């Protein structure tokens, strides 16, 4: 833990806190990054959603007194099954794992869990949060579409959330800022716009894109990535206030 009381930030997704760090900080809220292991075109890694979820979660943990959890790295990516490397679990498995984590946290004295979701296909997480009301654990799903919209406006992202669905301007920008070593050449010419994808859940991504990209990564920049993260961290203040978690003291 740093001198300011923030969780330490090791090189990688794993929080470096010891049990004594958590005991001293006594967080009332935990943050769980949830990513995926799925294709992101030829220029972003399979772990892109996990990297982004972890990056967002670590920004939140630096600004608020929370317990940062390690990520869930495989989730519901069935619509990407046509591309090699993609791995999925069922929605019922993801539901069970997140619920078990929430129950375990409650037993250890943490009654609020924020799910930082990096993969849009994890629809079941909305149900997990919906069902939490009567279980003694408060939950929220972050970022929501409104949170992304505000962050995109702040960052000057040109494509809409609908157009910029996958491996597009926003995702590529965040990696260009936070982990440029993970971005391969080719994003500058990989744009693919497929706004009419009515039957995506039935047909999968391959019905709408050959490359796996849906969006305009050519518009990405590290500056936009930095501002996206800053905007999301600012927006999370509303969630922290909702659950009574402020910012840590800086003694």
């Amino acid at each position: 833990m740093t001198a300011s009381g923030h969780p330490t930030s090791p090189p990688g997704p794993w929080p470096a806190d010891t049990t004594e760090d958590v005991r001293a900080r006594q967080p009332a809220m935990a943050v769980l990054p949830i990513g995926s292991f799925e294709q992101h075109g030829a220029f972003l890694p399979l772990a892109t959603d996990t990297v982004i979820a972890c990056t967002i979660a670590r920004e939140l943990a630096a600004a608020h007194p929370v317990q940062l959890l390690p990520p869930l790295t495989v989730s519901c990516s069935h619509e990407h099954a046509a591309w090699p490397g993609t791995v999925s679990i069922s929605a019922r498995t993801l539901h069970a794992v997140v619920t078990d984590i929430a129950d375990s946290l409650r037993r250890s004295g943490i009654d609020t869990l924020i799910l930082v979701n990096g993969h849009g296909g994890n629809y079941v997480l909305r149900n997990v949060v919906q069902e939490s009301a009567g279980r003694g654990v408060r939950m929220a799903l972050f970022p929501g579409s409104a949170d992304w919209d505000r962050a995109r406006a702040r960052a000057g992202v040109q494509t809409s959330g609908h157009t910029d669905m996958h491996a597009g301007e926003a995702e590529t920008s965040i990696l260009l800022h936070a982990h440029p070593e993970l971005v391969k050449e080719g994003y500058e010419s990989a744009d693919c716009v497929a706004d009419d994808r009515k039957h995506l859940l039935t047909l999968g991504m391959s019905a709408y894109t050959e490359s796996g990209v849906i969006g305009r990564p050519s518009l990405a920049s590290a500056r936009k990535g930095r501002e996206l993260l800053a905007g999301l961290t600012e927006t999370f203040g509303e969630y922290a206030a909702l659950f009574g978690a402020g910012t840590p003291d800086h003694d």
Side-chain angles (χ1 to χ4, degrees):
M1 189 166 63
T2 64
S4 65
H6 293 169
T8 52
S9 297
W14 314 113
D17 283 339
T18 68
T19 186
E20 293 305 317
D21 292 332
V22 177
R23 189 195 306 275
R25 198 165 62 250
Q26 296 184 322
M29 177 188 297
V31 171
L32 175 64
I34 303 175
S36 70
F37 199 74
E38 65 187 36
Q39 69 84 19
H40 276 77
F43 53 88
L44 296 183
L46 293 159
T48 290
D49 290 342
T50 300
V51 173
I52 289 175
C54 288
T55 301
I56 295 171
R58 288 171 69 172
E59 293 286 329
L60 304 184
H64 301 278
V66 303
Q67 180 175 351
L68 179 60
L69 301 175
L72 300 183
T73 58
V74 178
S75 59
C76 304
S77 301
H78 310 281
E79 67 273 28
H80 299 274
W83 284 270
T86 297
V87 181
S88 292
I89 59 176
S90 69
R92 61 184 176 275
T93 298
L94 182 58
H95 187 295
V97 169
V98 174
T99 301
D100 283 353
I101 290 171
D103 288 344
S104 178
L105 287 166
R106 178 178 51 80
R107 289 191 293 272
S108 69
I110 297 177
D111 65 358
T112 301
L113 176 60
I114 307 298
L115 310 179
V116 177
N117 181 37
H119 173 46
N122 289 334
Y123 309 107
V124 71
L125 296 179
R126 295 172 62 89
N127 298 111
V128 175
V129 173
Q130 178 189 36
E131 295 166 11
S132 69
R135 294 178 55 85
V137 177
R138 300 180 300 178
M139 288 191 193
L141 187 59
F142 182 84
S145 57
D147 305 317
W148 275 115
D149 287 345
R150 287 176 57 181
R152 294 167 78 88
R154 169 177 173 150
V157 171
Q158 295 175 243
T159 41
S160 68
H162 179 75
T163 296
D164 195 43
M165 176 199 176
H166 190 70
E169 183 179 2
E171 288 190 321
T172 306
S173 291
I174 290 175
L175 262 65
L176 283 172
H177 165 64
H179 295 280
E181 73 281 2
L182 297 181
V183 182
K184 297 181 182 297
E185 294 181 358
Y187 72 90
E188 303 92 340
S189 58
D191 290 3
C192 175
V193 176
D195 285 350
D196 183 6
R197 46 182 193 270
K198 179 179 179 181
H199 301 292
L200 185 142
L201 289 182
T202 300
L203 301 177
M205 288 276 291
S206 60
Y208 301 96
T209 171
E210 292 184 6
S211 66
V213 175
I214 294 181
R216 299 180 67 188
S218 67
L219 299 174
S221 71
R223 181 199 61 78
K224 290 178 182 177
R226 182 182 68 248
E227 290 302 310
L228 280 165
L229 291 173
L232 291 174
T233 303
E234 180 180 284
T235 299
F236 184 74
E238 299 177 10
Y239 293 75
L242 178 67
F243 293 121
T247 56
D249 295 331
H250 298 271
D251 296 330

